[in-house]
Amino acid sequence: MQLNLTKPLCFFDLETTGINITNDRIVEISILKVHPNGKEETYTQRVNPTVPIPAEVTLVHGISDADVADKPTFEEISKEVYHLIKDCDLGGFNSNRFDIPLLAEEMLRANVDFDMKNTQSIDVQTIFHKMEQRTLGAAYKFYCDKSLDNAHSAEADTMATYEVLKAQLDRYEDLENDTKFLAEFSSRKKFADFAGFITFNKDNKECFSFGKHKGKLVTDVLEKEPGYFGWLLNADFPLYTKKVLTAIKLRAFNNKLS
């Protein structure tokens, strides 16, 4: 089944120095851009993370410090990547919880104003887990009857993810061939930020999801305890979380003036 798209959908996968969204860095990125007319573009680039790649991580994806020593930094390719995915929806495998948050951090560190406000994100892993409970390799075998021989290669994982989604649409009649539907179906709990520090309550208002203010409205906490905002900005939170907090604070300030 071909995807029913109203705008391009970029499947992407990252290989990284680790799994810490705030501190780890990209060492390889691969993007498969699928256009509404079926045209496909591919982009794969290894990246110098500017920090050492731990030996145990190299054992997973096979990329060592020597492999990326002469490669561009993410900052050097950030505008190229942003231009490729700008005005597109995004798709990936575990992308909502890892790849998109980490990509956002890298973009913001490179001073690229990455934002997901008008972007749908389809997490193929979530669809798979809701339907079958497996890994990408098992999903590829189950849905496509193929073996993922080059797992943990960004390009191989990206291509497999694309094929799995198309096979899922063929298999499950209750899945709509619509980006918005698939994004909503593959989403988990709705968060204002990627890392899950700010969630939405039943009235769709931002609340803290951690610490002493868990469950409280962000606007109420920032008004009653102004110093908490400064602490959050200086603490080891993801840049995108800080961006969202700043936007909430500015919105509340503007609402008072109007």
Side-chain angles (χ1 to χ4, degrees):
M1 179 181 288
Q2 293 301 309
L3 298 182
N4 181 23
L5 305 176
T6 56
K7 65 179 181 179
L9 176 60
C10 286
F11 293 89
F12 79 104
D13 186 70
L14 306 177
E15 302 303 335
T16 65
T17 59
I19 58 173
N20 185 300
I21 291 169
T22 305
N23 298 320
D24 280 307
R25 301 290 189 267
I26 295 171
V27 299
E28 186 175 50
I29 180 170
S30 186
I31 299 169
L32 172 62
K33 186 173 184 177
V34 184
H35 294 264
N37 64 4
K39 176 187 173 184
E40 298 176 9
E41 296 178 61
T42 59
Y43 172 92
T44 301
Q45 176 65 59
R46 285 195 171 175
V47 180
N48 185 335
T50 71
V51 297
I53 303 172
E56 62 271 20
V57 177
T58 295
L59 288 175
V60 175
H61 53 49
I63 303 172
S64 66
D65 291 334
D67 294 327
V68 294
D70 61 346
K71 302 302 180 184
T73 65
F74 187 81
E75 184 173 7
E76 290 172 324
I77 67 167
S78 59
K79 290 182 174 57
E80 181 180 21
V81 171
Y82 182 70
H83 177 74
L84 187 60
I85 67 175
K86 186 175 180 286
D87 299 324
C88 299
D89 292 321
L90 298 177
F93 199 85
N94 194 33
S95 49
N96 285 352
R97 291 192 294 175
F98 181 72
D99 297 84
I100 291 176
L102 199 146
L103 178 63
E105 291 300 290
E106 290 277 41
M107 286 289 192
L108 292 172
R109 273 191 289 268
N111 294 314
V112 175
D113 190 17
F114 183 82
D115 204 300
M116 290 284 292
K117 283 181 182 176
N118 299 312
T119 302
Q120 302 287 351
S121 60
I122 299 173
D123 194 326
V124 174
Q125 186 194 60
T126 302
I127 295 175
F128 183 36
H129 284 181
K130 283 186 175 182
M131 295 297 190
E132 303 296 344
Q133 302 291 316
R134 293 291 192 275
T135 63
L136 176 57
Y140 198 48
K141 182 67 177 177
F142 181 85
Y143 289 109
C144 306
D145 197 25
K146 299 177 183 178
S147 296
L148 186 55
D149 297 324
N150 201 14
H152 296 297
S153 156
E155 187 167 351
D157 289 356
T158 298
M159 297 299 292
T161 299
Y162 174 45
E163 290 187 49
V164 167
L165 178 58
K166 291 192 292 183
Q168 286 173 331
L169 287 167
D170 284 328
R171 180 178 289 264
Y172 304 115
E173 292 184 359
D174 50 341
L175 287 182
E176 296 179 18
N177 190 354
D178 174 79
T179 301
K180 188 174 187 297
F181 173 86
L182 293 170
E184 290 175 353
F185 188 85
S186 63
S187 67
R188 298 174 186 267
K189 189 173 181 180
K190 189 178 180 183
F191 294 107
D193 65 332
F194 295 129
F197 291 109
I198 307 169
T199 188
F200 290 97
N201 65 12
K202 58 183 178 60
D203 298 319
N204 207 36
K205 294 184 177 180
E206 298 98 339
C207 295
F208 287 109
S209 65
F210 68 98
K212 63 179 183 179
H213 294 306
K214 184 176 181 179
K216 296 179 183 178
L217 291 176
V218 173
T219 50
D220 288 349
V221 172
L222 297 186
E223 181 178 1
K224 295 174 183 176
E225 196 175 328
Y228 194 60
F229 178 71
W231 177 80
L232 289 168
L233 291 189
N234 290 313
D236 191 24
F237 286 96
L239 294 174
Y240 198 85
T241 299
K242 295 176 183 180
K243 173 185 169 76
V244 170
L245 282 168
T246 302
I248 295 171
K249 185 176 176 66
L250 287 173
R251 186 185 67 209
F253 177 77
N254 289 332
N255 287 341
K256 279 187 175 182
L257 293 179
S258 59

